[in-house]
Amino acid sequence: MDLGTRKILDRSFTAVGITSILLMAAALLVVIVPIFTGGIGAIFFKGTVEHRKLQYNEFGKGDLAVIRQQTEETDIYRNKVYAMLDAFESEMELMEPTEKKKYRSQYTKVRKVLAHLFGPLPGDMEPILLRYQYGTTRWEKAEEALHDLMFVSKWDYSNPDEMAKQYFVPRSDEFAGTALAALFPYMENSLEKMLLPEMTFYWGFITERSLDAHIFGGIWAEIQGTFFLAAGAMLFAFPLGVIAAIYFTEYAKDNIFTSILRSANSTLAGVPSIVFGLFGLAFFINTVKVSESKSVLAGSLTLAIMVLPTIIRAAEEAILAVPKTYKEASLSLGSTKWRTIMTVILPAALPGIITGGIISLGRAAGETAPIIFTAAVSVGATIGIADVLNSPTPALSWNIYNLASEHEAASEIRHVQYGMVLALISIVLLLNLSAILLRARISKKLKG
Amino acid sequence: MQEVLKQNIVEKRILAPRDSRKTIGNINVPNPRMVCRNVNVYYGDKQAIRNVSIDIGCNEVLAMIGPSGCGKSTFLRCLNRMNDTIDSCRVTGEILFDGRDIYDPSVDVVPLRAQVGMVFQKPNPFPKSIYENVAWAPKIHGIVESKSDTDEIVESSLQKAGLWEEVKDRLDQPGTGLSGGQQQRLCIARAIAVSPEVILMDEPCSALDPIATAKIEDLIEELRAQYTIAIVTHSMQQASRVSQRTAFFHLGDLIEVGTTETIFTKPSHQLTEDYITGRYG
């Protein structure tokens, strides 16, 4: 191959390499940016007076005097709305039954939207579910509700060859000539005064429990559950893994038994996580009965089994990377094998061992499948450290899936999902970052 | 040396034939520290050392020379049982240290290795501070109890190794940050910190420059007063400079033993002469 061809090949390879890296970075951006903006939206948003009422009533946060004053302010405008409703109801009483029927369903819809915006209306029964006791807490949701109030959604089926198209007609048309006709322009103009949106920094999203299945409140229970599960997994897996790695590298003889053990370890590393989940249910809960049913303990043990091969492998590599000369030097000074391992080999291998451990910790925090059957519940209270032996816990990974797929009001709480995803990604990234820093620090200490 | 070799040719001595594998020369010394008799070493099926018998005297430097693969390092590693770390390695015969066979099943290698220290080909300080490198072994053997004891042992060991003046102001700095020659002297200081009786040196200067080598050689000369030293070396000049007795190994056999002067001026075996005159190596 002549020089010219080699140069062209080199350059084209460089170009392909750079392109693939750029593509990867772009894909990462496409994923990360919405997660970041959406997740931040769970903490920074325009909160309405309802949000402040909720915070005061449920968590005792906020200034009561301000809330009272704002409630009075908003009530002035809201009462006008309620008065219009009363007027229309009296008007309906006097209508012919057919006419009355015509308005009835439309009016129910109006009331429903208003209750969604302001909380229970005068004359409504006191709702049992918390989600109906308050109005809209987030301004962008209030704007969506306003749109629902202002317009009736209709479908255009006129062209049979095309898909039906959605179109909107003003709802005020339906009530033209009644006492309610004035409601719509009034709502459009005064909604802000009825809800008083303010830029809100809701730190409680991270530190507070969720209310009414994540309709309101934060994700502390999930964050704490994730922490318990991951930490518990490491509690079991890390010491076991390091001991196994020491056995493999320093004690195991090269025979069939050892190679069977080694390949078992490699196989275990490749088993899909859902299989570990089922194994955890079958073994830890049904057979060993570490707990009555799902518990943090059972979940931790399952996660521990899952990350064990990774930890063993990482620790083994780290121990093998320690120069043989250290071991020889130690032995030649009359140190025992055990002491050589503990004081010379392990300290030198520590950066690698810890890196493997923290990466496994990140994996344990992020895995969903192993905890579905062993530890996770979709909605649960924050558990204390004393409950880990017999209580299940909500956890970020499982609740991200659950909110996206099984929650009855999934579309209403997208911000919570994004917030959870962002929290989980942040936790894993922080763990990996601390692994890198710790490694650098220990290596520096060793090298000086 | 060149003139000496010329004289040899003039004298036309009759040397033992090349195929004679019996050890020539006096293997005994009046006051032996270690006595090796009929030592055989096998790596699996392969025999690396055949029937080696030699004494190592008190306060002498015994140099072991020979071409690569002759078994001199293997033999050296038998003397403090460092070969134990190789699974396939098997040793037969007797190696007596202070009258006791070190390969006896009842012997604990831990105190043995403290008494028979070792310095390796490549300087291998621990990734710890200079102070910790020297203090580590006395600590694990319980030789020192207080901090002042440790300080004392660190200072005296580094002084004996001729390193004290160079490092006394930076004892807390890592041993791996020193130059190659300093690292090797640190390893010597580390070995003598547990007060061994014998120091084994496995080509201690092969990774060092001539100035560092000269310092180590001077140090060996000084250490001889207190310790018995067995040194494996590739450099015949070094063997002639530092040792009193020299053993020549060839393909697993101990070919010739004698005072260094005799070996380098009047070798009795054809192989020895060929080797020291540089006909092969």
Side-chain angles (χ1 to χ4, degrees):
Chain A
M1 211 186 292
D2 64 38
L3 189 61
T5 329
R6 280 211 314 264
K7 264 190 182 160
I8 291 170
L9 275 179
D10 271 357
R11 283 198 190 133
S12 36
F13 181 78
T14 315
V16 170
I18 290 176
T19 317
S20 60
I21 288 172
L22 286 181
L23 270 177
M24 208 177 68
L28 199 66
L29 271 185
V30 168
V31 176
I32 293 285
V33 168
I35 288 176
F36 191 76
T37 50
I40 288 295
I43 297 176
F44 286 106
F45 57 92
K46 273 187 163 179
T48 65
V49 67
E50 297 295 320
H51 173 74
R52 295 186 278 283
K53 283 186 205 166
L54 175 100
Q55 281 293 304
Y56 184 80
N57 291 343
E58 304 299 331
F59 298 109
K61 288 182 186 164
D63 186 344
L64 182 60
V66 174
I67 293 168
R68 276 209 179 119
Q69 188 224 327
Q70 287 184 341
T71 312
E72 274 168 28
E73 269 175 48
T74 55
D75 278 352
I76 298 170
Y77 294 93
R78 290 184 189 189
N79 285 337
K80 282 185 189 158
V81 174
Y82 301 152
M84 286 182 208
L85 294 182
D86 282 345
F88 181 71
E89 275 172 37
S90 340
E91 196 179 345
M92 274 207 304
E93 289 301 312
L94 303 171
M95 285 177 186
E96 294 291 314
T98 48
E99 213 179 354
K100 194 172 166 183
K101 201 177 170 192
K102 187 185 104 189
Y103 285 119
R104 175 54 73 187
S105 69
Q106 284 298 328
Y107 177 65
T108 314
K109 175 75 182 163
V110 169
R111 275 193 79 98
K112 206 176 149 196
V113 176
L114 288 175
H116 180 54
L117 277 169
F118 302 140
L121 304 175
D124 281 352
M125 290 216 302
E126 185 61 28
I128 294 161
L129 283 177
L130 194 73
R131 71 186 71 166
Y132 300 124
Q133 288 171 16
Y134 293 93
T136 310
T137 55
R138 296 169 66 93
W139 178 244
E140 84 271 7
K141 293 284 170 198
E143 284 178 320
E144 282 170 25
L146 181 67
H147 185 268
D148 278 353
L149 181 73
M150 300 303 293
F151 296 99
V152 182
S153 146
K154 293 205 166 169
W155 293 91
D156 176 13
Y157 297 102
S158 57
N159 187 348
D161 298 334
E162 276 180 37
M163 285 237 293
K165 275 185 197 148
Q166 193 181 23
Y167 66 99
F168 295 99
V169 292
R171 202 183 290 274
S172 52
D173 293 359
E174 316 228 342
F175 292 96
T178 66
L180 207 61
L183 173 80
F184 300 98
Y186 181 70
M187 283 296 291
E188 198 168 18
N189 293 328
S190 316
L191 185 66
E192 235 169 289
K193 288 172 184 139
M194 297 174 202
L195 289 170
L196 295 175
E198 281 172 14
M199 206 54 213
T200 307
F201 173 59
Y202 179 37
W203 183 244
F205 183 73
I206 294 168
T207 59
E208 285 166 359
R209 67 184 194 276
S210 81
L211 294 173
D212 198 359
H214 288 293
I215 301 284
F216 305 122
I219 55 170
W220 172 241
E222 282 76 18
I223 292 177
Q224 191 202 256
T226 297
F227 174 77
F228 280 163
L229 284 167
M234 293 314 286
L235 207 66
F236 296 114
F238 191 71
L240 267 181
V242 175
I243 289 169
I246 292 173
Y247 171 76
F248 273 136
T249 50
E250 298 294 329
Y251 285 90
K253 298 252 185 324
D254 261 342
N255 55 27
I256 291 195
F257 177 67
T258 312
S259 46
I260 289 174
L261 279 185
R262 269 180 211 278
S263 43
N265 188 41
S266 310
T267 315
L268 208 60
V271 171
S273 53
I274 184 71
V275 177
F276 283 107
L278 287 168
F279 161 79
L281 172 68
F283 184 72
F284 291 121
I285 296 179
N286 291 346
T287 311
V288 185
K289 292 193 170 48
V290 295
S291 56
E292 283 289 301
S293 66
K294 287 180 182 183
S295 72
V296 175
L297 177 65
S300 295
L301 287 167
T302 311
L303 287 170
I305 299 285
M306 185 194 72
V307 296
L308 195 56
T310 323
I311 294 180
I312 294 178
R313 184 67 65 80
E316 221 181 320
E317 304 267 311
I319 291 173
L320 287 177
V322 175
K324 282 270 173 293
T325 56
Y326 291 177
K327 190 177 161 188
E328 276 191 332
S330 171
L331 289 176
S332 78
L333 288 167
S335 165
T336 58
K337 187 175 190 176
W338 179 243
R339 200 191 291 272
T340 301
I341 291 168
M342 294 310 285
T343 61
V344 176
I345 295 178
L346 277 189
L350 204 59
I353 295 178
I354 286 186
T355 308
I358 294 186
I359 285 170
S360 304
L361 184 65
R363 184 163 171 229
E367 274 292 347
T368 316
I371 58 172
I372 296 177
F373 308 114
T374 55
V377 283
S378 49
V379 177
T382 315
I383 62 163
I385 188 82
D387 300 324
V388 294
L389 295 183
N390 47 27
S391 298
T393 178
L396 284 172
S397 56
W398 160 247
N399 276 59
I400 287 167
Y401 165 72
N402 184 58
L403 284 197
S405 64
E406 292 177 3
H407 198 283
E408 71 263 51
S411 65
E412 282 294 305
I413 51 165
R414 291 274 180 247
H415 59 278
V416 181
Q417 294 171 26
Y418 276 120
M420 279 192 191
V421 174
L422 184 61
L424 184 57
I425 287 183
S426 308
I427 288 173
V428 174
L429 282 183
L430 270 179
L431 284 174
N432 288 354
L433 194 70
S434 61
I436 293 167
L437 291 180
L438 203 65
R439 187 194 175 98
R441 229 185 113 173
I442 297 177
S443 320
K444 204 181 159 201
K445 209 173 144 197
L446 285 175
K447 286 196 197 102
Chain B
M1 190 109 112
Q2 291 294 324
E3 286 165 24
V4 170
L5 295 179
K6 272 179 202 155
Q7 274 176 18
N8 284 353
I9 295 164
V10 174
E11 280 178 20
K12 294 227 182 282
R13 289 177 299 112
I14 298 165
L15 300 173
R18 295 182 68 102
D19 54 357
S20 158
R21 308 302 291 180
K22 277 185 79 176
T23 305
I24 296 178
N26 184 11
I27 59 165
N28 297 307
V29 291
N31 53 342
R33 174 73 76 191
M34 295 189 95
V35 178
C36 311
R37 290 292 175 268
N38 302 322
V39 177
N40 291 282
V41 182
Y42 306 86
Y43 290 121
D45 299 330
K46 195 175 153 279
Q47 189 164 9
I49 297 279
R50 261 187 305 274
N51 272 327
V52 170
S53 300
I54 189 171
D55 289 354
I56 306 171
C58 284
N59 298 0
E60 75 164 2
V61 178
L62 171 69
M64 302 187 203
I65 59 170
S68 296
C70 67
K72 55 193 191 299
S73 283
T74 300
F75 180 68
L76 189 76
R77 284 165 159 262
C78 291
L79 299 178
N80 68 345
R81 289 183 59 176
M82 280 300 281
N83 282 339
D84 287 12
T85 55
I86 301 162
D87 283 337
S88 62
C89 183
R90 195 159 55 80
V91 179
T92 64
E94 259 186 343
I95 299 176
L96 302 177
F97 175 62
D98 286 343
R100 197 154 171 228
D101 185 3
I102 64 170
Y103 277 91
D104 191 271
S106 67
V107 166
D108 183 2
V109 294
V110 170
L112 169 75
R113 286 186 188 146
Q115 287 168 307
V116 185
M118 191 159 192
V119 176
F120 295 86
Q121 188 168 357
K122 245 182 94 191
N124 57 353
F126 293 125
K128 302 174 194 277
S129 71
I130 296 171
Y131 183 93
E132 277 294 309
N133 259 289
V134 183
W136 187 77
K139 271 185 196 159
I140 64 166
H141 288 293
I143 297 172
V144 289
E145 274 162 16
S146 62
K147 175 87 172 69
S148 59
D149 282 1
T150 318
D151 290 348
E152 208 173 291
I153 248 182
V154 169
E155 183 177 344
S156 68
S157 305
L158 284 170
Q159 257 164 358
K160 279 185 203 159
L163 195 61
W164 176 249
E165 289 303 319
E166 290 161 60
V167 300
K168 63 181 176 188
D169 299 325
R170 45 171 175 157
L171 290 175
D172 56 338
Q173 284 179 22
T176 42
L178 297 172
S179 74
Q182 288 173 324
Q183 286 190 22
Q184 196 61 295
R185 277 181 283 151
L186 178 63
C187 292
I188 294 174
R190 183 177 65 184
I192 59 187
V194 285
S195 321
E197 293 170 33
V198 180
I199 302 175
L200 309 175
M201 296 186 175
D202 190 359
E203 299 183 36
C205 301
S206 64
L208 304 181
D209 64 80
I211 296 169
T213 302
K215 279 190 180 167
I216 302 269
E217 285 177 5
D218 290 347
L219 176 60
I220 292 172
E221 182 57 34
E222 280 169 36
L223 292 175
R224 184 167 73 89
Q226 269 182 288
Y227 308 99
T228 295
I229 296 171
I231 179 170
V232 164
T233 176
H234 254 122
S235 154
M236 281 170 281
Q237 286 86 347
Q238 184 171 62
S240 65
R241 280 194 298 262
V242 300
S243 69
Q244 284 74 52
R245 282 169 77 228
T246 298
F248 172 69
F249 286 77
H250 183 259
L251 297 177
D253 291 304
L254 177 55
I255 299 295
E256 188 168 351
V257 190
T259 62
T260 301
E261 204 190 338
T262 320
I263 294 282
F264 282 100
T265 54
K266 295 187 190 95
S268 311
H269 199 287
Q270 184 69 48
L271 279 170
T272 318
E273 178 169 315
D274 288 355
Y275 182 71
I276 61 164
T277 54
R279 268 179 225 153
Y280 68 97

